[in-house]
Amino acid sequence: MGNLINENILIIDLSKNETSEEYLEEEFIKEHIGGAATNIALYHQYEDDDPIIIGTGILTGTLAPGGSLAVITAKSPRTGEICHAPVNLCIGAELKYSGYDYVVIKGVAEKPVYLWIHDAIADINDAEHLWEKNAWETTDTLRNDLGEALIQNLTIGEMGEKESDLAQVISNYWSSGDRWGFGALFGKKKLKSIAIRGMGLFDMEDEKGFLNLCLELLNESKNSQMAGKQGIIDIGNELDADLKEWLDPVLHRNSACFNMPYPGNTFLKNGEDPKILKETDVEEPGVLVTDIFEILGFKELGLTSKDTVQVLMECLKTGIDPVAAAQICINKEMKSVNEIIASLGNFKGPVNTTGKTAFSPCCPEKSVFNKFDNENDTQDWWVRRQKIAYVFGIHQTYSIMSPFLSEEKLLELVNIGTGLDISQEDVETVIAKL
Amino acid sequence: MKLKIDPIKCIQCCACEMACGYRWDRALSPVTSSMMVYRTREKKNYFGLILKQDENLLLARPEGIEIQRIGVVEEGVEADASAKPIMLREACDLCDGLETLLCVSYCPTGALQIGE
């Protein structure tokens, strides 16, 4: 194991029901750095097997502020292009601490399976008992059966099993940044879930230098215009979307993805009084909104926030991209909650919610809270910030809030953390290939 | 020097776990920390912090702070499974020998602070 890197690629061959490992060579790391750029290289290496690649950045799972990001890279069933979906919560960190930097999933299983990745071991397990379970039931079952409540789980629901282009890969119970229909690829491969738990350890080349720089960047974050802001309401204000009054009847508590200084996830409750902080017996009181665009479409449709929580919960259980579902409802002028919920499993595309680039439009396409010097050409600026975030392993939305998290500082973190000597020129070469 | 916890300010980012893990291992590791983010009730969005002290477990839940004597469980009350993994770890020594508390330094919200 290297500094901040496992140097391990896990290869899952579903057709042969076999797993193997490849060593991540230093030259390969220098050539691709990590995250989405390495994913692309691995995608092309295994292109004939229609692979799904899941990768972490060098800073994923570290004390680098915002270091939560893992990236799923595959050919989108919706666009036909190779695209990247951000995955956060604790999934990236758990994958990295499980002993693998990258997972290549190729081939098609004969019958439903799930992957159980932990302690540098990967098992391909039978998932017949999980097939036809919704996404929430699947995560509950795996956590219960494997005896570990902190397992992070990428999973699909009914839509993925049906190989619908609108199927989203669900993160535990909540929305991921998958706007590409990657859930359909899971279904096509008969891959129900990827359960991950990591208990590893990473050394740093210059531990004091690395941690001091992490702290310096964190303090810049705390002293910036981000200070005191929370959740999707304050992000909405930046996007001219006033959510405060609408969300008030369901607003519970904000939380963050792994080592994300900004609590960008907001929990909404319609199953009990959202102001109660004490634990109650209500098992499923609401939903965690991880992507502000999940709710904006339903608000535009004219639903109340309580009804939006109800519909969103069904979207997540069914494993349909909520943004696409809302757009279909808008197109069909479908406003009855019962009708929407009854129809979700039959929703079909095409629906135009994929944006214009290979990076998920779940991240607002403008700076939030803090201004950047070079954001005049917004599209180019946004794409470059996404590329940097997806390569280094930084939460995609935190990257557009944090001008102090400059490319130079991120590169410095990588070099003092790993002992590698990656230059800005190397970064430019990698970025150009994305 | 004491560690003050305000669980309402916690955003479950786990930075404190990583910082504390570094205090024990001089490496990045999520499993040796004396502090754990209490996050097993994900569907309920119920979270807080557990701190292992020499003789106590300090449970900093949203509704308040509770101190449980390690090994003593009230009659008729089932021990909380969330606390199990932390029982095998080192107790918090307030970063003995360091100038500051690492968990406090890396907490982004002030949920962890130094008190007297």
Side-chain angles (χ1 to χ4, degrees), chain A residues 204-272:
Chain A
M204 294 153 279
E205 175 71 13
D206 170 4
E207 58 187 62
K208 284 191 176 164
F210 183 82
L211 294 177
N212 284 340
L213 185 49
C214 289
L215 195 55
E216 178 192 312
L217 293 167
L218 173 63
N219 287 333
E220 289 204 52
S221 187
K222 288 159 82 170
N223 294 323
S224 75
Q225 296 298 314
M226 202 187 303
K229 307 284 199 315
Q230 289 219 359
I232 56 172
I233 288 182
D234 282 324
I235 293 177
N237 289 338
E238 295 282 307
L239 305 179
D240 297 324
D242 185 2
L243 296 172
K244 194 168 187 299
E245 195 177 327
W246 184 67
L247 285 181
D248 188 63
V250 293
L251 188 63
H252 180 54
R253 198 176 172 195
N254 300 304
S255 62
C257 296
F258 178 87
N259 199 26
M260 167 94 160
Y262 181 78
N265 303 325
T266 298
F267 204 90
L268 307 177
K269 285 187 177 179
N270 67 349
E272 63 183 15

Side-chain angles (χ1 to χ4, degrees), chain A residues 97 140 207 211 253 259 280, chain B residues 7 13 18 22 43-44 106:
Chain A
Y97 286 102
D140 285 341
E207 58 187 62
L211 294 177
R253 198 176 172 195
N259 199 26
T280 72
Chain B
C13 70
M18 300 302 294
Y22 171 76
K43 279 196 294 183
K44 299 181 176 188
Y106 286 91

Side-chain angles (χ1 to χ4, degrees), chain A residues 334-349:
Chain A
M334 187 186 280
K335 296 186 180 186
S336 153
V337 171
N338 290 338
E339 188 190 1
I340 293 169
I341 289 173
S343 310
L344 280 176
N346 298 317
F347 276 6
K348 286 187 169 60

